[in-house]
């Protein structure tokens, strides 16, 4: 998770304005490495509290925080927050689902502060166990290749719903899919006016990428996954363990935020659905969509993924025009 903590340090350095002014809480701290890096590498925190329930992990945590100015380790069940409403930055990185800790973590984040949340229960969030997704998150997931982005949007929806319980709202500043987990940094703010970013997708009215079987998916967070201004200020931190990888991710992520449409197309799925013998190459497909007057960018979620504001009918038309000569015998027979 070194890369992930690098991104966390880059995020906090870009977000924090005043030196040594913030208070932080790492909810499920294990060794404390995540919060200790934030404390040591950002210069933004005056104090950082670490909670850990496991005896062996707490012993390591205690040793790690010893002598670190501003660091406080507490041996406790983190579902009981150490103090209500008192932290500028709360980091929740448990095993599996964050839901058992979410209400407490949100209550402990001051309005104007940040809550960062990891969920590793991707088998549930990304659709492999749809009954569990409905039970746990109250949402119908997307199965298959778009499942992880669906899971990220279900997590964001859960954060927004939980914030509403305390008459507040969340604003995603940086939310991403990575390997076996999803992670979101949200600003906790007063309730906002304007269109509701939470919604379900009814497949018969949906003109974006096909979401697979089922007539109804969600509810999801359907708004932007991040903040362009903040992403523009993020750079790999000097102590990064994987600086080149962080830089590559940030470049792609910044570009991706220019097209906030949910979900993306992939050449293989397009070719399969349209009956093309060969998938259209992703870069020519992107350029053709841009030439046709749409926005189209690569996504951080999958190397071949293309996020676009073009309706599906246009994506299909452009994909056919690139791969038209390659239509398979079966597709010609069907046509
Ligand atoms: C995924 S690890 C944390 C990793 C850490 N955030 C990092 O970046 O290295 C999850 C930790 O949560 C702890 N934990 C699980 N349930 C807890 C609870 N109810 N209260 C406090 N800690 C808990 C586990 O003992 C484990 O050390």
């Amino acid at each position: 998770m070194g890369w992930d903590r690098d991104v966390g340090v880059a995020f906090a350095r870009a977000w924090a304005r005043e030196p040594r002014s913030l208070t932080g809480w790492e909810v499920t701290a294990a060794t404390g490495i995540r919060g200790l890096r934030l404390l040591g590498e950002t210069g933004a925190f005056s104090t950082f509290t670490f909670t850990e329930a496991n005896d062996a992990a707490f012993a390591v945590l205690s040793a790690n925080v010893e002598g670190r100015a501003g660091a406080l380790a507490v041996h406790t069940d983190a579902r009981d927050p150490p103090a209500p409403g008192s932290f500028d930055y709360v980091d929740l990185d448990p095993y599996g689902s964050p839901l058992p800790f979410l209400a407490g973590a949100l209550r402990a984040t001051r309005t104007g502060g940040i809550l960062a949340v990891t969920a590793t229960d991707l088998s549930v969030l990304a659709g492999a166990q749809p009954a569990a997704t409905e039970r746990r998150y109250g949402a119908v997931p997307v199965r298959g290749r778009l499942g992880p982005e669906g899971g990220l949007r279900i997590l964001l929806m859960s954060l927004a719903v939980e914030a509403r319980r305390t008459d507040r709202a969340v604003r995603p500043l940086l939310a991403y899919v990575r390997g076996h987990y999803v992670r979101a940094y949200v600003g906790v703010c007063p309730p906002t006016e304007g269109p509701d970013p939470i919604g379900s997708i009814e497949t018969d009215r949906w003109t974006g990428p096909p979401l697979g079987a089922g007539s109804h998916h969600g509810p999801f967070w359907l708004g932007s996954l991040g903040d362009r201004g903040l992403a523009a200020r993020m750079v790999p931190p000097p102590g990064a363990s994987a600086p080149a990888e962080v830089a590559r991710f940030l470049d792609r992520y910044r570009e991706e935020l220019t097209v906030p449409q949910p979900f993306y197309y992939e050449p293989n799925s397009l070719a399969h659905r349209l009956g093309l013998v060969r998938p259209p190459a992703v870069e020519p497909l992107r350029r053709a969509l841009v030439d046709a007057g749409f926005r189209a960018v690569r996504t951080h979620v999958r190397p071949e993924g293309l996020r676009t504001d073009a309706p599906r009918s246009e994506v299909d038309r452009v994909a056919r025009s690139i791969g038209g000569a390659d239509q398979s015998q079966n597709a010609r027979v069907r046509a």
Side-chain angles (χ1 to χ4, degrees):
M1 296 294 274
W3 176 91
D4 199 73
R5 298 189 199 105
D6 290 347
V7 171
V9 173
F11 173 89
R13 286 165 65 99
W15 174 67
R17 300 285 183 191
E18 304 282 323
R20 312 231 166 269
S21 61
L22 302 175
T23 54
W25 175 29
E26 184 171 6
V27 181
T28 48
T31 63
I33 176 79
R34 187 178 287 273
L36 285 170
R37 283 196 59 185
L38 289 169
L39 187 63
E41 294 181 39
T42 64
F45 291 90
S46 56
T47 62
F48 221 105
T49 302
F50 302 81
T51 46
E52 173 55 50
N54 178 276
D55 292 348
F58 183 74
V60 177
L61 172 65
S62 298
N64 285 348
V65 304
E66 193 153 337
R68 299 289 295 267
L72 171 70
V74 184
H75 194 186
T76 188
D77 187 321
R79 286 169 292 186
D80 305 322
S86 48
F87 296 100
D88 299 299
Y89 176 94
V90 174
D91 204 303
L92 173 55
D93 175 33
Y95 293 131
S97 171
L99 290 182
F101 303 94
L102 199 53
L106 250 174
R107 260 199 317 276
T109 309
R110 75 163 171 83
T111 304
I114 298 289
L115 176 62
V117 180
T118 304
T120 61
D121 56 338
L122 261 200
S123 63
V124 172
L125 280 168
Q129 301 174 50
T133 325
E134 290 205 58
R135 222 173 30 245
R136 199 179 282 178
Y137 289 92
V140 178
V142 178
R143 301 179 84 151
R145 295 184 66 80
L146 297 179
E149 179 172 336
L152 178 60
R153 291 182 181 279
I154 289 172
L155 174 67
L156 287 168
M157 174 277 292
S158 302
L159 301 182
V161 167
E162 191 59 49
R164 282 177 189 176
R165 290 191 221 281
T166 56
D167 206 20
R168 298 189 293 174
V170 296
R171 199 163 74 82
L173 299 176
L174 177 76
Y176 54 87
V177 174
R178 174 102 177 160
H180 67 288
Y181 65 92
V182 294
R183 182 160 165 89
Y185 295 79
V186 297
V188 178
C189 46
T192 44
E193 303 286 318
D196 189 354
I198 296 176
S200 292
I201 293 179
E202 309 302 329
T203 36
D204 57 352
R205 278 180 279 146
W206 171 242
T207 60
L211 300 183
S215 58
H216 168 98
H217 300 273
F220 301 113
W221 176 272
L222 293 172
S224 176
L225 294 179
D227 180 84
R228 289 175 69 180
L230 191 123
R233 293 199 299 279
M234 283 179 69
V235 290
S241 59
E245 212 183 323
V246 173
R248 269 198 305 279
F249 165 76
L250 289 174
D251 283 347
R252 178 151 291 185
Y253 196 81
R254 278 189 274 268
E255 191 192 353
E256 185 173 4
L257 287 182
T258 63
V259 181
Q261 259 72 13
F263 300 108
Y264 55 88
Y265 294 87
E266 282 184 292
N268 277 338
S269 324
L270 266 171
H272 181 72
R273 184 166 56 79
L274 300 178
L276 307 177
V277 168
R278 255 172 294 157
V282 65
E283 198 44 36
L285 179 63
R286 193 192 70 76
R287 273 199 309 273
L289 284 165
V290 170
D291 289 346
F294 299 103
R295 289 180 295 168
V297 289
R298 308 285 287 274
T299 167
H300 77 283
V301 183
R302 297 266 189 198
E304 294 280 285
L306 202 56
R307 206 179 281 285
T308 178
D309 59 359
R312 192 190 312 163
S313 53
E314 283 298 310
V315 176
D316 292 356
R317 184 185 62 75
V318 170
R320 277 198 188 94
S321 74
I322 291 179
D326 293 336
Q327 272 203 336
S328 70
Q329 185 74 19
N330 284 348
R332 280 200 295 273
V333 168
R334 275 203 303 274

